[in-house]
Tab-separated table of all heavy atoms in Angstrom:
chain	number	residue	atom	x	y	z
A	193	THR	N	-79.958	1.675	-27.679
A	193	THR	CA	-81.231	1.102	-27.226
A	193	THR	C	-81.127	-0.382	-26.883
A	193	THR	O	-82.029	-0.924	-26.236
A	193	THR	CB	-82.318	1.299	-28.310
A	193	THR	OG1	-81.808	0.842	-29.580
A	193	THR	CG2	-82.689	2.771	-28.427
A	216	GLY	N	-71.151	-3.733	-34.690
A	216	GLY	CA	-70.729	-4.845	-33.845
A	216	GLY	C	-69.353	-4.563	-33.277
A	216	GLY	O	-68.547	-3.866	-33.895
A	218	SER	N	-66.379	-6.138	-29.915
A	218	SER	CA	-66.103	-7.156	-28.908
A	218	SER	C	-66.667	-6.746	-27.551
A	218	SER	O	-66.904	-5.561	-27.289
A	218	SER	CB	-64.591	-7.373	-28.788
A	218	SER	OG	-63.963	-6.227	-28.238
A	230	GLY	N	-79.219	2.951	-22.939
A	230	GLY	CA	-79.691	4.232	-22.427
A	230	GLY	C	-78.694	5.361	-22.621
A	230	GLY	O	-79.054	6.544	-22.467
A	237	ALA	N	-69.496	13.078	-30.181
A	237	ALA	CA	-69.153	11.913	-29.374
A	237	ALA	C	-69.332	10.624	-30.175
A	237	ALA	O	-68.530	9.686	-30.077
A	237	ALA	CB	-70.012	11.874	-28.115
A	239	GLU	N	-69.177	10.323	-33.492
A	239	GLU	CA	-68.125	10.254	-34.512
A	239	GLU	C	-66.786	9.849	-33.894
A	239	GLU	O	-66.015	9.092	-34.504
A	239	GLU	CB	-67.994	11.610	-35.219
A	239	GLU	CG	-69.193	11.940	-36.095
A	239	GLU	CD	-69.079	13.296	-36.751
A	239	GLU	OE1	-68.091	14.008	-36.470
A	239	GLU	OE2	-69.971	13.654	-37.551
A	255	LEU	N	-52.662	-6.981	-37.013
A	255	LEU	CA	-52.073	-8.032	-36.174
A	255	LEU	C	-52.393	-9.415	-36.726
A	255	LEU	O	-51.566	-10.330	-36.660
A	255	LEU	CB	-52.579	-7.904	-34.735
A	255	LEU	CG	-52.102	-6.661	-33.980
A	255	LEU	CD1	-52.779	-6.583	-32.616
A	255	LEU	CD2	-50.582	-6.684	-33.806
A	291	LYS	N	-44.289	0.950	-32.535
A	291	LYS	CA	-44.059	1.134	-31.099
A	291	LYS	C	-43.832	-0.189	-30.397
A	291	LYS	O	-42.942	-0.320	-29.542
A	291	LYS	CB	-45.264	1.857	-30.473
A	291	LYS	CG	-45.140	2.062	-28.973
A	291	LYS	CD	-46.351	2.793	-28.415
A	291	LYS	CE	-46.237	2.973	-26.909
A	291	LYS	NZ	-47.423	3.671	-26.348
A	306	GLU	N	-30.930	-14.202	-43.734
A	306	GLU	CA	-30.468	-15.446	-43.121
A	306	GLU	C	-31.190	-16.647	-43.703
A	306	GLU	O	-30.585	-17.646	-44.087
A	306	GLU	CB	-30.693	-15.389	-41.603
A	306	GLU	CG	-29.845	-14.388	-40.853
A	306	GLU	CD	-28.446	-14.887	-40.587
A	306	GLU	OE1	-28.209	-16.093	-40.781
A	306	GLU	OE2	-27.584	-14.076	-40.211
A	314	LYS	N	-30.284	-18.674	-52.144
A	314	LYS	CA	-30.384	-17.509	-52.998
A	314	LYS	C	-29.080	-16.710	-52.950
A	314	LYS	O	-28.400	-16.656	-51.918
A	314	LYS	CB	-31.526	-16.606	-52.546
A	314	LYS	CG	-32.917	-17.218	-52.684
A	314	LYS	CD	-33.444	-17.037	-54.087
A	314	LYS	CE	-34.891	-17.463	-54.194
A	314	LYS	NZ	-35.446	-17.215	-55.538
A	327	GLY	N	-40.180	-3.249	-50.294
A	327	GLY	CA	-40.050	-1.876	-49.812
A	327	GLY	C	-38.876	-1.678	-48.873
A	327	GLY	O	-38.766	-0.643	-48.220
A	334	LYS	N	-23.798	-6.901	-45.899
A	334	LYS	CA	-22.915	-7.243	-44.780
A	334	LYS	C	-23.324	-6.534	-43.492
A	334	LYS	O	-22.927	-6.951	-42.396
A	334	LYS	CB	-21.464	-6.910	-45.115
A	334	LYS	CG	-21.175	-5.439	-45.324
A	334	LYS	CD	-19.729	-5.227	-45.713
A	334	LYS	CE	-19.423	-3.748	-45.930
A	334	LYS	NZ	-18.009	-3.544	-46.338
A	350	TYR	N	-23.081	-25.219	-53.746
A	350	TYR	CA	-24.322	-26.007	-53.735
A	350	TYR	C	-24.827	-26.225	-55.155
A	350	TYR	O	-25.202	-27.352	-55.531
A	350	TYR	CB	-25.375	-25.286	-52.894
A	350	TYR	CG	-26.773	-25.845	-53.058
A	350	TYR	CD1	-27.197	-26.942	-52.321
A	350	TYR	CD2	-27.666	-25.265	-53.970
A	350	TYR	CE1	-28.476	-27.467	-52.477
A	350	TYR	CE2	-28.943	-25.776	-54.134
A	350	TYR	CZ	-29.351	-26.871	-53.387
A	350	TYR	OH	-30.619	-27.385	-53.575
A	362	ASP	N	-15.611	-29.465	-71.258
A	362	ASP	CA	-14.966	-28.527	-72.170
A	362	ASP	C	-15.420	-27.098	-71.853
A	362	ASP	O	-16.305	-26.882	-71.030
A	362	ASP	CB	-15.259	-28.888	-73.639
A	362	ASP	CG	-16.754	-28.849	-73.973
A	362	ASP	OD1	-17.495	-28.059	-73.353
A	362	ASP	OD2	-17.189	-29.613	-74.851
A	380	TYR	N	-19.518	-12.757	-60.842
A	380	TYR	CA	-18.595	-13.518	-61.691
A	380	TYR	C	-17.306	-13.845	-60.946
A	380	TYR	O	-16.783	-14.971	-61.053
A	380	TYR	CB	-18.275	-12.736	-62.963
A	380	TYR	CG	-17.336	-13.483	-63.885
A	380	TYR	CD1	-17.809	-14.481	-64.733
A	380	TYR	CD2	-15.965	-13.203	-63.895
A	380	TYR	CE1	-16.949	-15.187	-65.564
A	380	TYR	CE2	-15.096	-13.898	-64.714
A	380	TYR	CZ	-15.597	-14.891	-65.538
A	380	TYR	OH	-14.743	-15.601	-66.355
Side-chain angles (χ1 to χ4, degrees):
T193 50
S218 68
E239 291 178 357
L255 292 175
K291 178 179 179 181
E306 292 280 348
K314 295 276 188 176
K334 64 183 180 181
Y350 167 84
D362 61 30
Y380 181 81

